[in-house]
Amino acid sequence: MAAVVDSLPAEERTRAVARRRRGRRETRAALLFISPWIIGFLVFTAWPLVNSAYLSLTDYDVINDPNFVGLDNYRQLFEDPKIATSLGNTLFYAAVQVPLYVLVSLALAMLLNKAGRAAGFFRTAFYLPNMTPPVAVGVLLLLVFNGQNGLINEVLGFFGIDGPNWTTDPNWVKPAIILTSLWSVGSSMIILLAALRNVPQELYDAARVDGANGWQRTVRITIPMISGALFFVVVINTIAAFQTFTEAYTAFFGSGNTTYGNEAALFYVIYLFQQAFEFLNMGYASAMAWVLFVIILLITLVQLRVSKRLVYYEGEQR
Amino acid sequence: MRRSVARLVVGATAVALTLGACAQGTGGGSDDGTADAGAAGDFDPEAQLSGSLDVMGFGTGDEIATTRVDRAKEALGEDVEVKLVEGDLDIQQFLSAVASGQPPELIYANRDQIGTFASRGAIIPLTQCIAGEGITTDDFRDPAIDQVTFDGEIYGIPEFNSIQVTMANSELLDAAGLTIEDVNGSDWEALSAANEALKKGDGGSLSVIGYDSKLPEFLPLWAHANGTDLISEDGRTAQLNDPKVVEALEWAISIYDAQGGFPAVKAFRDSADFFGAGNQFAAGSLGAMPMEQWYINVLNDVSPDAPMAFDTVHDRNGEPIAYASGSAWAIPKGTDNPAAACRWARVMTEVDSWVAAAEARKSLRAEEGKPFTGVLTGNEAADEAVRELVEPSGDEVWDAGVTAMYEANDNTFSLPANPADAEFKTAWQDAVNSVLNGQAEPQEALDAAQETAQAALDQAWQKWEQEG
């Protein structure tokens, strides 16, 4: 590069040097501006990641020095029956909750898209529950789904249906948690609503001219056109589903309910939390965290692979 | 909305490591950071103290706390700056603080956590503190001291005692032709029959719970009533699948099965206005149950006209029993001011402080027109002194409750400290929960729990012995 500059006429050479200096200044400024994030990333993400990988190979109780045990923690994972239970619960939850959550979000977004002037009010109304602290949602779960006098069973009773003991019957605990998770459906709904608003009206007009009915317009135009947003919502909610913790912990394992921990609600991260902060097995908990990371990574990679065939991005060249 | 606890673990452990690496020594009362390593003279009750005293896990919520805190501050003198970190003890915060070399001077923990903290080296033995400050441990109740004694040394100064009393609805008992003796636990067959007579409805249509055996939390009570404990006296051997424990669980479960199963009873129990005027006794929706003594005051406050009957819980030989639990003061390893911590623990738990606190409560209760029902301190001498302040209210029912409470307090047992407290407790509670949920039979569940608990105990004791 320097040789190229040297071969230029003097005036152009001066301009090139000035450009280069300006470029370096801009690079320095850019690095300075993003340095808080870089430092934060290194200190609070990269360094803990490296450390947790190391700790997963140790026996560590926070107080005493970590004791290197090789792959013992990972071997122990395969022998621990609670790993299978908690992973099974989590997989069931993710498999049912994510599709339901996305479908409800999409349905609400499509309704709001047609709501005209009232859309603003309903958008706020549906989003407001997201402001509720997850701990409060956990308590709400116990109240709303109480088998004797909870709101859900009262409503079912109005229609002559005897509701189950949602919060105490192991068969109904996970459905109750899944339904409770819909409390926060507003956040995904907002994303999908924004995507729906960006679908060009001309496409629908052309489809109408061609005689397409509502279902065909939805399946052939709406869904493909918002598939990017849908994919984002699916990926984000899948990751969140695998990390579900607060509501179930509050309802079934928290301080008010410590003696009755319903195993049907023992999600993977709850068990990880117990190992780390109740049993002080930080090494084992770190190994659990890495296994969860790998599971989520694999599922996300599969989703990315599938998305290449199903997701439409505007302006994308294929 | 959901917290990534996986990320939290990673962050917490790394922060602990980072801080630990940066720590420049741990201070403390002696070279190795343990108060115990110093001489008894380091803890002189007449010594002038200074510095700071950070207390983690203790709040001044009522007059029992504030009265004693005022006395403790006075004993420490003006040169000691006291800071209370209120709320329940945050274990992770505490252990991280110890690991980073910046521990609080004192913690207020549940007694059943002391064994785990001691085995991890997070707290120090209090032998020299007790000798130096002149804490009269002989005054304390033996079960309370047992809970804070790990491998032969005392690691905590106990305070408060939580015990159980049989509480019943006298109108429901009368209507069924029963007395409080039928539901006090001395005869399990009679109690099962009383349960059948008291309960109304079944499963989904339950309208009165006959008897609530309070599983899973009271399995230790029923096992003890049947002549055994969940763990050996030395805290080394789990006894979860002892035939007497299995029998106790089978019986306690049968109480729920007779009422449509635990899920139905629990759902109905959860629907009660437990702390309100519409509580299950006032509403006539519960026949009887064993319950901690503080609930007597709740009931007296919110439903003084509820038709109550009280008795102790009895074992199968007819002797009163109660499963004791409570709190304790402990000094973390590496603390800067163990002398102040020790004096605080001494003053907070000494007889005169409890009496002053009880007098404060008595006068407040008198202002409200309510009887003073006593305070259980974990200190036998203090209990006796406080009991002298308790006067009959004139209401036989509530006075019987207070009498039962004191009788139970004189007949307590506890489980010994061990280095795997949390894992042990989780093992037996998980076993009971799996039976309650119909996922396992008692013998099968307790066999599995025995294996898990014993493995955790063996590993923890082995580690303690290797590192000790």
Side-chain angles (χ1 to χ4, degrees):
Chain A
M1 181 70 182
V4 174
V5 172
D6 289 344
S7 67
L8 292 171
E11 199 177 321
E12 283 187 33
R13 200 163 55 214
T14 311
R15 275 204 295 271
V17 169
R19 265 201 308 275
R20 211 166 58 192
R21 280 185 185 153
R22 195 166 58 243
R24 276 203 295 265
R25 269 204 311 275
E26 284 174 355
T27 305
R28 274 200 301 272
L31 284 172
L32 190 69
F33 274 114
I34 63 169
S35 62
W37 184 88
I38 292 174
I39 294 167
F41 172 78
L42 290 174
V43 173
F44 296 112
T45 305
W47 162 247
L49 268 173
V50 172
N51 259 289
S52 91
Y54 165 66
L55 289 177
S56 74
L57 304 173
T58 70
D59 177 15
Y60 179 52
D61 65 2
V62 183
I63 296 292
N64 298 296
D65 292 338
N67 178 31
F68 188 79
V69 294
L71 293 174
D72 278 4
N73 287 328
Y74 291 94
R75 270 193 288 271
Q76 200 184 327
L77 283 171
F78 290 99
E79 295 163 7
D80 185 346
K82 277 196 170 183
I83 291 289
T85 303
S86 59
L87 206 50
N89 287 339
T90 307
L91 286 168
F92 176 88
Y93 176 81
V96 179
Q97 192 265 355
V98 174
L100 184 66
Y101 192 91
V102 173
L103 276 175
V104 173
S105 307
L106 180 61
L108 286 175
M110 290 173 90
L111 280 174
L112 278 190
N113 200 30
K114 307 255 182 208
R117 283 186 179 181
F121 168 76
F122 285 111
R123 193 169 50 204
T124 309
F126 282 122
Y127 191 76
L128 268 180
N130 285 272
M131 301 290 113
T132 315
V135 171
V137 177
V139 175
L140 196 69
L141 187 163
L142 291 177
L143 294 174
V144 172
F145 285 93
N146 181 282
Q148 290 289 319
N149 61 1
L151 178 66
I152 299 292
N153 278 8
E154 292 286 328
V155 172
L156 291 174
F158 183 77
F159 294 103
I161 302 168
D162 274 342
N165 287 315
W166 299 88
T167 56
T168 53
D169 185 334
N171 297 316
W172 289 98
V173 163
K174 278 192 283 292
I177 298 171
I178 288 167
L179 290 173
T180 303
S181 75
L182 298 180
W183 180 257
S184 61
V185 82
S187 53
S188 294
M189 180 203 74
I190 294 286
I191 294 167
L192 295 176
L193 182 60
L196 286 172
R197 292 272 160 95
N198 281 335
V199 179
Q201 186 59 36
E202 300 82 49
L203 294 177
Y204 293 115
D205 294 339
R208 273 197 196 89
V209 169
D210 288 344
N213 60 26
W215 173 252
Q216 287 168 326
R217 288 198 300 274
T218 302
V219 173
R220 300 290 173 85
I221 298 173
T222 307
I223 301 294
M225 289 301 288
I226 65 165
S227 56
L230 266 175
F231 175 64
F232 173 77
V233 168
V234 167
V235 170
I236 291 299
N237 281 296
T238 303
I239 294 170
F242 274 91
Q243 295 179 338
T244 192
F245 174 76
T246 313
E247 292 88 342
Y249 186 82
T250 306
F252 298 102
F253 301 92
S255 59
N257 222 340
T258 47
T259 53
Y260 180 64
N262 199 318
E263 205 170 71
L266 183 73
F267 294 120
Y268 191 84
V269 179
I270 291 178
Y271 186 45
L272 189 158
F273 179 87
Q274 287 180 333
Q275 284 290 347
F277 299 118
E278 292 177 16
F279 307 156
L280 307 180
N281 295 327
M282 286 288 177
Y284 190 61
S286 296
M288 286 183 69
W290 274 96
V291 168
L292 181 63
F293 170 76
V294 170
I295 291 171
I296 292 175
L297 182 69
L298 288 175
I299 289 173
T300 308
L301 287 175
V302 170
Q303 287 174 328
L304 282 169
R305 177 62 65 90
V306 172
S307 78
K308 283 183 180 167
R309 297 169 60 187
L310 298 178
V311 176
Y312 164 74
Y313 293 105
E314 200 173 352
E316 185 185 43
Q317 299 290 323
R318 295 214 182 195
Chain B
M1 291 294 281
R2 297 174 186 85
R3 285 170 52 196
S4 166
V5 177
R7 219 174 294 154
L8 189 65
V9 172
V10 170
T13 49
V15 168
L17 270 182
T18 311
L19 294 176
C22 296
Q24 299 291 314
T26 55
S30 61
D31 290 344
D32 68 354
T34 71
D36 196 49
D42 292 348
F43 300 97
D44 178 2
E46 303 301 326
Q48 192 73 24
L49 300 175
S50 60
S52 62
L53 180 79
D54 287 357
V55 182
M56 198 181 266
F58 183 77
T60 50
D62 60 16
E63 64 283 358
I64 298 291
T66 52
T67 305
R68 293 182 303 133
V69 164
D70 289 345
R71 287 174 62 89
K73 283 182 178 172
E74 195 182 334
L76 290 172
E78 288 179 353
D79 293 337
V80 177
E81 190 188 345
V82 177
K83 185 179 157 198
L84 303 179
V85 183
E86 304 206 9
D88 286 347
L89 180 70
D90 183 328
I91 295 175
Q92 196 270 327
Q93 189 184 3
F94 162 57
L95 294 179
S96 297
V98 175
S100 68
Q102 304 289 326
E105 274 65 47
L106 196 60
I107 59 164
Y108 188 68
N110 286 332
R111 292 206 282 268
D112 64 9
Q113 295 172 321
I114 294 296
T116 297
F117 292 159
S119 70
R120 259 56 176 200
I123 56 176
I124 58 172
L126 301 181
T127 315
Q128 300 298 345
C129 154
I130 289 165
E133 276 287 335
I135 298 173
T136 46
T137 48
D138 288 346
D139 280 353
F140 289 83
R141 292 188 177 276
D142 290 342
I145 289 289
D146 289 347
Q147 276 185 299
V148 294
T149 303
F150 176 72
D151 206 20
E153 289 203 81
I154 295 176
Y155 280 80
I157 306 297
E159 72 167 44
F160 287 118
N161 228 24
S162 187
I163 49 99
Q164 304 80 36
V165 169
T166 299
M167 304 182 187
N169 182 309
S170 59
E171 283 180 0
L172 291 174
L173 289 179
D174 289 344
L178 300 165
T179 67
I180 187 73
E181 284 77 23
D182 292 312
V183 290
N184 70 8
S186 54
D187 182 340
W188 285 2
E189 284 179 11
L191 189 38
S192 296
N195 178 46
E196 290 281 1
L198 288 166
K199 63 130 181 164
K200 287 181 186 158
D202 190 355
S205 62
L206 199 62
S207 60
V208 174
I209 297 172
Y211 186 80
D212 189 344
S213 51
K214 297 298 288 291
L215 288 179
E217 63 263 45
F218 287 167
L219 179 66
L221 183 73
W222 299 126
H224 192 80
N226 205 26
T228 191
D229 283 315
L230 302 188
I231 190 168
S232 62
E233 274 183 32
D234 60 5
R236 287 173 182 268
T237 311
Q239 300 173 163
L240 297 180
N241 59 352
D242 182 298
K244 288 181 177 174
V245 178
V246 177
E247 186 186 18
L249 179 57
E250 284 171 344
W251 171 77
I253 292 278
S254 74
I255 292 292
Y256 294 123
D257 290 344
Q259 303 179 82
F262 180 74
V265 177
K266 173 86 164 64
F268 188 59
R269 181 210 284 178
D270 288 348
S271 69
D273 180 16
F274 196 75
F275 291 98
N279 62 74
Q280 62 283 3
F281 287 119
S285 59
L286 171 64
M289 68 173 176
M291 182 63 201
E292 278 86 3
Q293 85 279 3
W294 52 262
Y295 197 54
I296 298 174
N297 283 338
V298 172
L299 293 171
N300 185 255
D301 266 346
V302 299
S303 56
D305 298 325
M308 296 302 302
F310 298 99
D311 196 357
T312 52
V313 179
H314 288 61
D315 67 16
R316 299 186 79 179
N317 294 321
E319 299 297 324
I321 54 163
Y323 173 42
S325 58
S327 302
W329 297 101
I331 302 179
K333 174 186 170 187
T335 181
D336 284 331
N337 205 346
C342 186
R343 184 167 303 171
W344 175 282
R346 192 255 296 165
V347 176
M348 289 294 284
T349 57
E350 69 188 4
V351 175
D352 289 349
S353 298
W354 284 115
V355 172
E359 282 170 345
R361 169 159 290 181
K362 186 176 179 179
S363 58
L364 271 175
R365 297 282 290 178
E367 280 172 26
E368 294 168 358
K370 291 172 181 166
F372 172 62
T373 55
V375 180
L376 302 185
T377 68
N379 180 321
E380 203 169 343
D383 283 347
E384 290 305 315
V386 170
R387 192 172 183 176
E388 286 176 15
L389 298 172
V390 178
E391 293 164 4
S393 67
D395 186 323
E396 280 181 25
V397 170
W398 299 102
D399 287 345
V402 175
T403 304
M405 175 186 90
Y406 273 108
E407 188 179 5
N409 195 40
D410 289 335
N411 293 280
T412 56
F413 73 96
S414 65
L415 301 183
N418 69 75
D421 286 324
E423 283 142 306
F424 180 77
K425 193 172 175 181
T426 302
W428 68 256
Q429 290 195 340
D430 281 354
V432 178
N433 286 332
S434 68
V435 181
L436 288 171
N437 290 331
Q439 293 162 324
E441 291 300 315
Q443 182 73 57
E444 171 196 358
L446 290 172
D447 281 344
Q450 170 71 19
E451 203 175 315
T452 306
Q454 192 58 55
L457 286 170
D458 289 344
Q459 194 179 2
W461 276 110
Q462 189 187 12
K463 206 168 160 187
W464 163 251
E465 275 149 13
Q466 278 170 357
E467 288 168 6

